[in-house]
Amino acid sequence: MMSDNIQTVTVLSKTTWTPTLFSFTVSRPDSFKFTAGQFVRLGVNPSQLKYYQQIEASNDTSDTALNEDIFRAYSIVSSPFDEVIEFFSIVIPDGAFTSQLQHLQVGDELLLNTMPFGFLTLARYQKPLPKDLWLLATGTGLAPFLSMLQDLKTWEDYEHIVLAYSARSTQELAYVDKIKSLQEDFGTLVDNPAKLIFIPIVTREPVDGALSERLPKLLLEGTLEKQAGIALDIDTTHVMLCGNPDMVDDTKEALKSLRLVMNRRGEGNIAVENYW
């Protein structure tokens, strides 16, 4: 029997960035509410996907589908006020979930647990008061930060927002056009908006206008602060990290060595999300 929190949602669109990176939107249940930065549990039953039903219809038995609901945690890309819910996904070849999700087609149905989770939200910061917000992401860890940057309160509360987004190749640097339009699309809707400073990082190929080292090194060498034009300061800085666990751990240690401290009970600079 399905939990009261589980609702069926319909895939409305799909964007393929690379063979292993894609985004998709689903319908939003009327009752569903979340805070920018939170994640949800999303479910798929492979046997219900059109991809497998088409294979079955052609009598091809080489690729049979699992008839079972599989759930995984996904950060939300979209604003808390959007009419649809957007997700950003990587395909893990052996992953029970993402290896199925890559076959998504418009019209497919997924399961959404409407209970949001996670504390990677700006409300966690009580001290220091908001001034400079640093959002450090690798890969699909960009998702919660895009949600925050589509919430007007973020633009009202801060003076500077630094978004440093690292990927292995230019192709994997998704959502760049959207990022470049955020200041105009959202910043112009509030008085005295924050200034958004976008720092793209590409680690495996040289790219004009992008940094090339891993985030911890860029922090320890002062390159990230120099590029942003503002300093990391224990009294004025909020830093959020989201991405692969190695990046999160190494970057956290780099920030601590720069005298920033973990956010606990509302106080401190550094916040991370560990749902991987």
Side-chain angles (χ1 to χ4, degrees):
M1 197 174 82
M2 234 185 247
S3 148
D4 290 346
N5 291 332
I6 307 290
Q7 295 215 24
T8 301
V9 293
T10 305
V11 177
L12 303 173
S13 69
K14 182 179 177 185
T15 303
T16 300
W17 302 100
T18 72
T20 57
L21 278 179
F22 64 98
S23 303
F24 59 99
T25 61
V26 301
S27 55
R28 179 172 179 167
D30 292 340
S31 59
F32 177 56
K33 291 183 171 54
F34 70 98
T35 301
Q38 286 190 306
F39 62 90
V40 290
R41 290 182 68 76
L42 198 61
V44 62
N45 182 322
S47 71
Q48 302 301 309
L49 296 178
K50 289 181 181 180
Y51 170 83
Y52 286 109
Q53 290 173 349
Q54 286 157 354
I55 288 174
E56 205 171 287
S58 69
N59 292 319
D60 181 352
T61 56
S62 62
D63 196 0
T64 54
L66 200 64
N67 185 8
E68 157 186 336
D69 296 339
I70 311 166
F71 279 84
R72 291 292 182 273
Y74 265 75
S75 287
I76 301 169
V77 171
S78 38
S79 154
F81 309 101
D82 274 352
E83 291 179 3
V84 301
I85 317 170
E86 184 167 354
F87 299 100
F88 183 21
S89 182
I90 187 167
V91 178
I92 301 165
D94 303 331
F97 189 83
T98 64
S99 61
Q100 304 297 341
L101 213 63
Q102 67 179 319
H103 300 309
L104 273 191
Q105 296 178 25
V106 171
D108 275 331
E109 291 191 335
L110 297 174
L111 300 170
L112 172 72
N113 184 327
T114 56
M115 174 79 69
F117 299 91
F119 300 99
L120 194 74
T121 64
L122 294 175
R124 71 181 292 152
Y125 286 109
Q126 308 303 318
K127 190 178 175 185
L129 292 173
K131 185 178 179 223
D132 300 327
L133 175 63
W134 292 67
L135 304 172
L136 311 183
T138 56
T140 56
L142 178 70
F145 300 151
L146 285 177
S147 184
M148 290 173 198
L149 291 169
Q150 294 176 87
D151 187 338
L152 295 183
K153 188 162 169 43
T154 309
W155 295 87
E156 288 174 335
D157 286 356
Y158 289 90
E159 289 180 29
H160 301 98
I161 302 169
V162 179
L163 174 61
Y165 172 31
S166 177
R168 293 174 304 181
S169 66
T170 321
Q171 242 192 327
E172 290 183 2
L173 215 55
Y175 287 102
V176 168
D177 289 344
K178 186 180 188 82
I179 292 166
K180 288 180 175 174
S181 68
L182 286 168
Q183 184 89 47
E184 188 175 331
D185 291 348
F186 293 88
T188 54
L189 301 179
V190 303
D191 296 330
N192 303 315
K195 180 189 177 191
L196 176 63
I197 301 149
F198 173 45
I199 303 176
I201 303 162
V202 179
T203 56
R204 302 239 178 125
E205 60 185 38
V207 177
D208 285 346
L211 298 179
S212 60
E213 302 286 356
R214 288 181 71 237
L215 276 162
K217 188 172 183 189
L218 293 171
L219 284 164
L220 292 172
E221 293 180 348
T223 313
L224 207 60
E225 287 171 285
K226 187 177 175 187
Q227 189 81 356
I230 57 172
L232 290 157
D233 185 320
I234 194 167
D235 297 320
T236 58
T237 298
H238 296 170
V239 191
M240 290 187 148
L241 312 178
C242 194
N244 73 68
D246 288 344
M247 178 284 276
V248 170
D249 288 346
D250 295 349
T251 305
K252 195 165 59 177
E253 294 310 313
L255 289 164
K256 285 184 192 170
S257 74
L258 297 172
R259 295 184 50 249
L260 299 184
V261 297
M262 295 302 293
N263 183 283
R264 301 198 201 294
R265 298 184 191 82
E267 295 195 12
N269 312 100
I270 308 163
V272 305
E273 187 69 87
N274 292 317
Y275 64 80
W276 288 38

